[in-house]
């Protein structure tokens, strides 16, 4: 192969395309978040649509039924939970603003200073830090949602996208596959099928797992009479999507709330015990049953994925980082295996 | 004609002209006894692929995912290092159906002889059909099983026949050795 002008030209064009694509991806990152969420939701709901379809209902009608069901459940839950949730958020805000919680932090600070004399009071300022962190947390959460034109648009676009992905998903995949050249057609079909099988199992498993852990946490915190039990429970469920760090953060949030409300050491022990028990149930019973082992990821990979996700998309990015990494891992490994099987490398 | 008996057994060749796609499908053994509505559902999930003359459909030893039905044109089935032609298939014929059940390497190479249109029916399609339209999927599965059982019966008979021949030859050979 000799160096010619046309090869150089092709190289430059390819380079420009890569740079432009990268720039576009970066600019469209908020839309990409919406697309990722929509695809994940569609993936999770797909078996429901298929099972309705198997009862002789058309795919369109199945999708509509599922949407109606979700709508009813959502409205019912929000009728009960949203006022409670808003109440909880208001309470948290009030307790931070009124300085009610600061008393406890002062106690905690003096306790730490007694034990570790090297640390000065200025270095600690736990209350200030936590208030700042909480503010940053809510900011970043709303920034992610807010940057997608607006929250309302997101709430309209996601269900809209999920609806059509569910209804026309099989046709879309068939059309995409139809564009693959004959030589690579069967290989593409094979890789897509394998990836689909693994990903479906993985994503559904993860969401069921998060749901169960959320429900267990809410129940446990409610039994222990912890304030804001719904919010912490939901948070713990979502946090459970992030391996290793998630359960710690979820439990940590609960302990923090107990401490902020002047709970005793016994209360903290009970909450910690409850979270340990939930983790035990999760690891011994739920995970082996519902979570696909095929998408095992190395702890280091998980941690870095979470950090990178947080860097680019904030809290939402941290939550989505693990499933997205799972998708990338499965796709790449299946692509590699497929290419090997078809003797292309 | 110098064609492998295995392949001629499977593909009973009939002279066919351009036919309506449903007529083609309804004559395929695994789609036999499907209602018109079910056939339409099957037709919707089939992959239509167009091949130029001499273009390869699949290579021997490549992993197979499913079967192809010839809608129009001709396909050569060949195997071995010398690419010996085992069969020439034309519209209405099908090949590669074993891969629907078992993801094993293809036992032969298939290539288009002329401008050819194939209808692909693959494992994922069969699985999704079993999930979304279990009745149709089960009919196809049953016919597939019957077809394989039929072929197994043929092989068993042929196997027995060959074994008999072998023992016959061995008994004939023994006296020669004694002398």
């Amino acid at each position: 192969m000799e160096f010619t002008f046309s090869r150089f030209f092709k190289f430059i064009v390819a380079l420009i395309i890569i740079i432009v694509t990268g720039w576009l991806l970066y600019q469209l990152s908020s839309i990409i978040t919406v697309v990722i969420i929509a695809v994940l939701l569609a993936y999770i709901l797909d078996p429901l649509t298929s099972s309705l379809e198997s009862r002789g209902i058309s795919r369109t009608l199945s999708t509509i039924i599922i949407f109606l069901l979700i709508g009813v459940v959502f409205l019912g839950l929000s009728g009960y939970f949203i006022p409670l949730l808003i109440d909880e958020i208001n309470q948290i805000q009030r307790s931070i603003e009124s300085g009610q919680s600061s008393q406890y932090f002062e106690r905690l600070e003096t306790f730490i200073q007694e034990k570790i004399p090297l640390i000065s009071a200025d270095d600690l300022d736990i209350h200030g830090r936590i208030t700042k962190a909480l503010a940053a947390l809510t900011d970043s959460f709303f920034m992610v949602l807010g940057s997608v034109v607006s929250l309302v648009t997101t709430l309209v676009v996601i269900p809209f996208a999920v609806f059509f992905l569910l209804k026309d998903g099989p046709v879309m995949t068939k059309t995409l596959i139809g564009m693959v050249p004959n030589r690579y057609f069967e290989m593409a079909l094979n890789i897509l099928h394998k990836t689909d099988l693994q990903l479906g199992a993985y994503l559904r498993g993860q969401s069921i797992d998060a749901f169960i852990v959320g429900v267990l946490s809410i129940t446990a915190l409610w039994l222990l009479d912890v304030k804001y039990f719904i919010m912490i429970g939901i948070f713990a469920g979502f946090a459970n999507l992030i391996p290793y760090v998630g359960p710690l953060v979820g439990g940590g949030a609960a302990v923090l709330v107990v401490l902020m409300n002047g709970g005793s050491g016994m209360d903290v022990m009970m909450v910690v015990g409850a979270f340990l028990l939930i983790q035990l149930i999760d690891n011994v019973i739920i995970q082996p049953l519902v979570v696909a082992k095929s998408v095992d990821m190395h702890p280091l990979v998980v941690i870095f994925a979470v950090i990178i996700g947080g860097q680019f998309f904030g809290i939402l990015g941290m939550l989505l980082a693990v499933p997205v990494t799972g998708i990338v891992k499965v796709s790449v490994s299946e692509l590699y295996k497929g290419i090997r099987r078809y003797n292309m490398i | 004609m110098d064609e492998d008996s295995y392949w001629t057994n499977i593909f009973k060749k009939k002279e066919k002209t351009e036919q309506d796609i449903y007529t083609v499908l309804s004559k395929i053994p695994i789609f036999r006894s499907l209602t018109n509505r079910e056939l339409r559902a099957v037709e919707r999930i089939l992959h239509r692929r167009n091949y130029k003359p001499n273009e390869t459909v699949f290579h021997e030893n490549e992993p197979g995912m499913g079967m192809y039905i010839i809608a129009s044109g001709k396909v050569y089935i060949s195997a071995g290092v010398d690419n010996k032609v085992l069969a020439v298939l034309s519209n209405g014929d099908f090949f590669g159906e074993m891969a629907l059940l078992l993801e094993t390497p293809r036992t032969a190479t298939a290539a288009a002889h002329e401008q050819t249109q194939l209808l692909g029916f693959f494992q994922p399609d069969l699985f999704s059909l079993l999930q979304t339209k279990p009745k149709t999927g089960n009919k196809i599965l049953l016919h597939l099983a019957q077809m394989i059982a039929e072929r197994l019966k043929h092989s068993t008979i042929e196997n027995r026949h060959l074994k008999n021949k072998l023992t016959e030859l061995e008994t004939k050979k023994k006296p020669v050795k004694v002398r």
Side-chain angles (χ1 to χ4, degrees):
Chain A
M1 277 192 285
E2 58 184 47
F3 183 85
T4 60
F5 180 72
S6 91
R7 276 177 63 81
F8 179 70
F9 184 70
K10 271 185 196 161
F11 174 75
I12 291 294
V13 169
L15 201 68
I16 290 172
I17 289 174
I18 290 170
I19 291 171
V20 169
T21 320
W23 180 79
L24 270 178
L25 282 179
Y26 181 73
Q27 291 297 314
L28 294 173
S29 61
S30 50
I31 302 297
I32 292 168
T33 321
V34 170
V35 172
I36 290 172
I37 295 174
V39 170
L40 290 181
L41 286 175
Y43 235 109
I44 292 162
L45 292 173
D46 186 65
L48 281 177
T49 326
S50 297
S51 84
L52 278 180
E53 219 186 336
S54 71
R55 285 173 177 77
I57 305 167
S58 78
R59 192 151 183 107
T60 314
L61 194 61
S62 307
T63 315
I64 292 172
I65 291 172
I66 285 172
F67 261 70
L68 285 178
L69 276 177
I70 291 174
V72 168
V73 171
F74 191 73
L75 281 180
L77 282 182
S78 54
Y80 176 71
F81 280 112
I82 297 240
L84 269 178
L85 203 64
I86 290 171
D87 200 43
E88 285 186 357
I89 292 171
N90 281 338
Q91 275 186 41
I92 293 177
Q93 247 170 2
R94 243 180 287 136
S95 83
I96 289 172
E97 279 163 10
S98 68
Q100 192 191 9
S101 54
S102 62
Q103 285 172 2
Y104 192 78
F105 287 119
E106 271 160 30
R107 261 201 284 157
L108 194 70
E109 276 174 27
T110 38
F111 174 78
I112 293 174
Q113 274 166 4
E114 273 168 19
K115 297 284 171 201
I116 316 164
L118 280 173
I119 298 170
S120 72
D122 296 335
D123 283 341
L124 274 170
D125 187 25
I126 294 177
H127 184 230
R129 276 167 199 234
I130 285 180
T131 319
K132 242 186 252 166
L134 275 177
L137 201 84
T138 33
D139 273 358
S140 75
F141 187 68
F142 285 110
M143 213 179 72
V144 169
L145 292 172
S147 61
V148 189
V149 195
S150 80
L151 183 65
V152 180
T153 332
T154 314
L155 287 181
V156 174
V157 169
I158 290 179
F160 193 76
V162 172
F163 182 86
F164 284 104
L165 283 175
L166 259 187
K167 183 175 102 55
D168 298 328
V171 183
M172 285 179 194
T173 17
K174 203 192 151 192
T175 316
L176 272 178
I177 279 283
M179 289 192 276
V180 178
N182 286 337
R183 177 78 189 93
Y184 307 106
F185 163 68
E186 243 186 280
M187 182 180 80
L189 196 77
N190 194 341
I191 293 170
L192 202 73
H193 175 60
K194 295 263 160 63
T195 316
D196 180 58
L197 280 184
Q198 285 200 40
L199 271 189
Y202 167 69
L203 292 177
R204 266 159 237 143
Q206 286 286 330
S207 48
I208 293 171
D209 186 40
F211 179 76
I212 296 175
V213 168
V215 171
L216 285 178
S217 306
I218 291 179
T219 318
L221 293 173
W222 174 68
L223 286 174
L224 291 172
D225 206 20
V226 176
K227 262 191 179 176
Y228 325 126
F229 63 96
I230 295 174
M231 224 177 83
I232 304 169
I234 293 173
F235 179 69
F238 274 118
N240 209 59
L241 287 173
I242 308 172
Y244 317 110
V245 199
L248 276 177
V249 176
V255 169
L256 197 71
V257 168
V258 173
L259 285 178
M260 271 164 72
N261 290 294
S264 65
M266 191 61 198
D267 291 338
V268 174
M269 291 291 280
M270 293 284 274
V271 170
V272 170
F275 270 88
L276 283 178
L277 187 68
I278 291 170
Q279 279 310 307
L280 191 71
I281 295 172
D282 183 35
N283 282 299
V284 177
I285 304 169
I286 309 169
Q287 284 201 4
L289 280 179
V290 298
V291 178
K293 272 276 157 275
S294 52
V295 198
D296 266 344
M297 277 177 279
H298 195 274
L300 263 183
V301 174
V302 170
I303 301 298
F304 278 117
V306 171
I307 294 171
I308 293 169
Q311 191 76 34
F312 282 108
F313 303 102
I315 303 284
L316 204 58
M318 291 174 118
L319 281 179
L320 293 180
V322 180
V324 169
T325 315
I327 293 175
V328 172
K329 192 199 162 181
V330 172
S331 314
V332 170
S333 77
E334 279 307 324
L335 192 71
Y336 179 71
K337 272 192 247 165
I339 290 173
R340 283 292 297 270
R341 269 202 301 265
Y342 284 86
N343 302 320
M344 283 183 193
I345 46 171
Chain B
M1 227 190 205
D2 186 26
E3 280 179 11
D4 194 304
S5 66
Y6 172 74
W7 289 98
T8 33
N9 248 337
I10 304 162
F11 312 109
K12 299 244 166 62
K13 278 198 270 156
K14 295 160 213 148
E15 281 305 310
K16 284 186 204 82
T17 46
E18 270 286 326
Q19 279 169 330
D20 182 27
I21 188 110
Y22 295 113
T23 333
V24 172
L25 286 185
S26 60
K27 287 195 177 138
I28 305 291
I30 65 165
F31 300 136
R32 207 175 49 208
S33 83
L34 291 191
T35 62
N36 283 340
R37 217 181 129 176
E38 288 171 329
L39 270 181
R40 262 201 303 280
V42 168
E43 195 266 334
R44 235 177 288 141
I45 60 166
L46 292 178
H47 303 261
R48 266 167 212 265
R49 310 290 311 181
N50 291 305
Y51 294 83
K52 289 193 281 265
N54 296 323
E55 196 179 348
T56 312
V57 181
F58 55 70
H59 290 279
E60 191 177 346
N61 292 328
E62 257 179 21
M65 282 292 280
M67 66 182 277
Y68 290 90
I69 299 153
I70 305 175
S72 66
K74 274 197 172 79
V75 169
Y76 273 125
I77 305 288
S78 58
V81 262
D82 50 348
N83 252 346
K84 187 184 154 209
V85 174
L86 305 172
V88 184
L89 309 172
S90 58
N91 45 338
D93 288 333
F94 58 96
F95 53 95
E97 69 288 348
M98 286 282 266
L100 267 177
L101 295 171
L102 213 60
E103 209 182 293
T104 47
R106 299 281 191 193
T107 50
T109 299
H113 176 53
E114 50 190 52
Q115 188 68 36
T116 304
Q117 189 182 55
L118 299 179
L119 302 168
F121 183 58
F122 301 99
Q123 228 183 51
D125 306 324
L126 180 62
F127 289 164
S128 84
L129 205 62
L130 278 167
Q131 220 169 34
T132 55
K133 295 186 173 59
K135 233 173 130 183
T136 319
N138 276 330
K139 273 189 196 173
I140 295 175
L141 214 53
L142 186 68
H143 290 315
L144 202 58
Q146 282 168 346
M147 207 165 76
I148 306 287
E150 190 80 26
R151 225 173 279 167
L152 184 66
K153 202 179 87 185
H154 271 285
S155 313
T156 319
I157 292 170
E158 203 163 322
N159 198 6
R160 198 180 300 151
H161 185 70
L162 286 173
K163 256 188 193 161
N164 286 343
K165 248 188 185 169
L166 196 71
T167 38
E168 227 173 80
L169 280 173
E170 269 174 354
T171 44
K172 263 188 196 167
K173 235 179 168 184
K174 262 180 194 164
V176 181
K177 243 186 177 178
V178 173
R179 255 182 244 166

